[in-house]
């Protein structure tokens, strides 16, 4: 039953077969490079778009119960590593990319929440949202998806805890540390309000994310059908012990969320790249993208930015090698 759900409901394999039949009727050879690329592109774009809209709606409905003011109050009730764990978990029901998470991070920091707690949120939010769990399940299966999310939360909690221990509060820009915080009463939303909010989030997020999906799927189609397998294996497979490091660094200049990364990861894995390599690439893109680093630099000083980047980079690389080591157990 679960295999059926994974393949036909989440993975939409029936859509791939249908797309192939339609392209063959149009005279395209889907076993060739051009036909195969077109099939991969159409199938993945439709699949990810459908999953994206469904997931955003569901997650936004859940998120409507955790507006920023309420989230601050929840986080303020906890202390120590427990607060970091709660912050990391709350990050799973918030925005889908790091640039969307940074304004919330600034708000939490200016509200006086511990720095380590806010960084646990900042790391978790783009890396391990609920959408990533479902999308990873659709491509890689439940075991890989669950382990990915657990390890992502571990990085968030460990990173936030370490930053807290380093006492780097003075490395936050002064305008944030001295910002006045005003408690705004939170009105209770009706079911209709929550549905409306969720629909608006679907429209807004889809409009912002869809171009990156097209780019990601396009790159995935090229990798899947045009790049020789032995080339991928040589650089990102068993033959290269530095594949995880290369993939993590390669993800930094890019800006995308997990929805745009998964088609690339799917194609790389199919071509022989190691599991840890493709997951490190995804984590690098979603957590350490250059645009998000530029935005974050406006809020924190270079020393804290460097510590944050170093913690995330080391954590991602360690997770990547861990996945490589246990790949035989997951695939």
């Amino acid at each position: 039953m679960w295999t059926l759900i994974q393949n036909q409901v989440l993975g939409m394999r029936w859509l791939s077969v249908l797309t192939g039949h339609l392209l063959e009727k149009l005279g395209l050879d889907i076993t060739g490079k051009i036909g195969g690329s077109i099939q991969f592109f159409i199938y993945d774009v439709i699949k990810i778009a459908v999953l994206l809209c469904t997931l955003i709606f569901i997650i936004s409905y859940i998120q409507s119960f955790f507006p920023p003011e309420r989230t601050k109050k929840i986080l303020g009730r906890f202390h120590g590593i427990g607060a970091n764990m709660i912050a990391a978990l709350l990050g799973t029901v918030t925005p889908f990319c790091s640039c969307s998470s940074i304004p919330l991070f600034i708000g939490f920091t200016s509200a006086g929440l511990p720095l380590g707690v806010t960084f646990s949120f900042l790391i978790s939010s783009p890396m391990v949202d609920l959408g990533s769990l479902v999308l990873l399940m659709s491509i890689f299966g439940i075991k890989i998806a669950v382990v990915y999310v657990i390890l992502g939360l571990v990085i968030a909690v460990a990173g936030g805890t370490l930053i807290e221990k380093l006492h780097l509060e003075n490395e936050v820009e002064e305008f944030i540390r001295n910002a006045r915080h005003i408690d705004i009463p939170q009105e209770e939303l009706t079911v209709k309000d929550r549905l409306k909010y969720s629909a608006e989030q679907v429209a807004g997020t889809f409009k912002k994310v869809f171009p990156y999906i097209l780019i990601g799927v396009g790159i995935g189609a090229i990798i899947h059908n045009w790049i020789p397998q032995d080339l991928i294996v040589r650089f990102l497979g068993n033959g290269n012990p530095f594949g995880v490091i290369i993939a993590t660094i390669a993800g930094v200049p890019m800006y995308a969320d997990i929805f745009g990364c998964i088609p690339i990861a799917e194609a790389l894995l199919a071509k022989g790249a190691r599991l840890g390599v493709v997951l490190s690439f995804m984590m690098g893109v979603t957590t350490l993208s250059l645009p998000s680093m530029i935005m974050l630099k406006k809020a924190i000083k270079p020393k804290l930015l460097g510590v944050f980047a170093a913690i995330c980079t080391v954590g991602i690389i360690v997770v990547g090698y861990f996945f490589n080591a246990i790949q035989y157990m997951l695939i």
Side-chain angles (χ1 to χ4, degrees):
M1 178 60 71
W2 175 250
T3 301
L4 178 66
I5 293 173
Q6 179 180 317
N7 291 337
Q8 301 301 334
V9 178
L10 298 177
M12 298 186 194
R13 298 291 170 82
W14 57 270
L15 179 61
S16 178
V17 175
L18 177 62
T19 304
H21 288 330
L22 291 175
L23 291 176
E24 286 177 335
K25 288 185 179 295
L26 294 174
L28 285 173
D29 177 16
I30 61 173
T31 61
K33 291 183 178 180
I34 296 176
S37 298
I38 294 173
Q39 182 191 20
F40 183 97
F41 186 84
I42 294 174
Y43 161 63
D44 259 36
V45 166
I46 295 174
K47 178 186 70 175
I48 293 175
V50 171
L51 287 173
L52 172 67
C53 292
T54 304
L55 290 168
I56 292 174
F57 188 89
I58 295 171
I59 294 170
S60 296
Y61 192 88
I62 297 172
Q63 187 185 340
S64 69
F65 291 92
F66 300 96
E69 293 299 321
R70 180 172 294 174
T71 304
K72 292 174 190 176
K73 290 180 179 178
I74 292 172
L75 293 175
R77 296 173 188 164
F78 297 88
H79 303 281
I81 195 169
N84 293 91
M85 294 173 67
I86 297 298
L89 289 171
L90 284 173
T92 64
V93 290
T94 49
F96 297 95
C97 65
S98 52
C99 286
S100 301
S101 306
I102 289 171
L104 285 175
F105 160 79
I106 292 173
F108 293 159
T109 305
S110 64
L113 292 176
L115 189 63
V117 173
T118 59
F119 267 97
S120 287
F121 169 85
L122 182 64
I123 297 170
S124 167
S125 181
M127 187 185 291
V128 291
D129 59 71
L130 295 177
S132 68
L133 176 62
V134 177
L135 275 178
L136 284 165
M137 286 166 55
S138 73
I139 302 296
F140 302 118
I142 186 170
K143 290 189 290 186
I144 293 175
V146 170
V147 175
Y148 173 89
V149 169
I150 291 174
L151 292 179
L153 291 172
V154 169
I155 292 176
V157 173
T161 302
L162 180 57
I163 287 174
E164 187 72 25
K165 298 295 184 184
L166 292 174
H167 301 291
L168 297 171
E169 287 77 12
N170 289 333
E171 293 299 313
V172 177
E173 291 293 347
E174 190 173 349
F175 77 91
I176 294 176
R177 285 188 281 122
N178 296 335
R180 288 188 175 184
H181 174 60
I182 301 175
D183 284 326
I184 302 173
Q186 293 297 312
E187 57 180 316
E188 193 63 34
L189 300 177
T190 65
V191 173
K192 183 179 179 180
D193 293 332
R194 296 187 194 283
L195 292 174
K196 180 181 178 182
Y197 168 77
S198 301
E200 290 172 349
Q201 288 294 102
V202 170
T205 306
F206 184 81
K207 182 179 179 181
K208 181 176 68 173
V209 167
F210 191 63
Y212 299 107
I213 293 177
L214 295 178
I215 294 171
V217 175
I219 295 172
I222 293 172
I223 294 172
H224 195 273
N225 294 279
W226 294 85
I227 297 181
Q229 183 168 345
D230 60 345
L231 187 64
I232 299 292
V233 172
R234 186 189 313 164
F235 287 100
L236 303 177
N238 287 328
N240 187 357
F242 302 105
V244 168
I245 299 173
I246 293 171
T248 303
I249 296 173
V252 172
M254 298 180 65
Y255 173 61
D257 54 26
I258 197 163
F259 298 102
C261 294
I262 280 185
I264 302 174
E266 179 185 11
L268 287 171
L269 191 65
K271 281 288 187 175
R274 298 284 287 166
L275 178 61
V277 171
V278 299
L279 295 182
S280 293
F281 170 77
M282 287 170 50
M283 286 183 167
V285 172
T286 56
T287 310
L288 294 170
S289 67
L290 190 59
S292 68
M293 291 293 104
I294 293 172
M295 284 185 64
L296 193 56
K297 189 177 183 298
K298 303 294 183 181
I300 62 177
K301 297 177 182 179
K303 181 179 179 180
L304 180 53
L305 183 66
V307 170
F308 166 73
I311 289 172
C312 291
T313 301
V314 171
I316 290 169
I317 290 172
V318 170
V319 166
Y321 281 113
F322 178 76
F323 268 109
N324 279 351
I326 65 170
Q327 178 171 343
Y328 72 96
M329 299 169 58
L330 300 175
I331 297 180

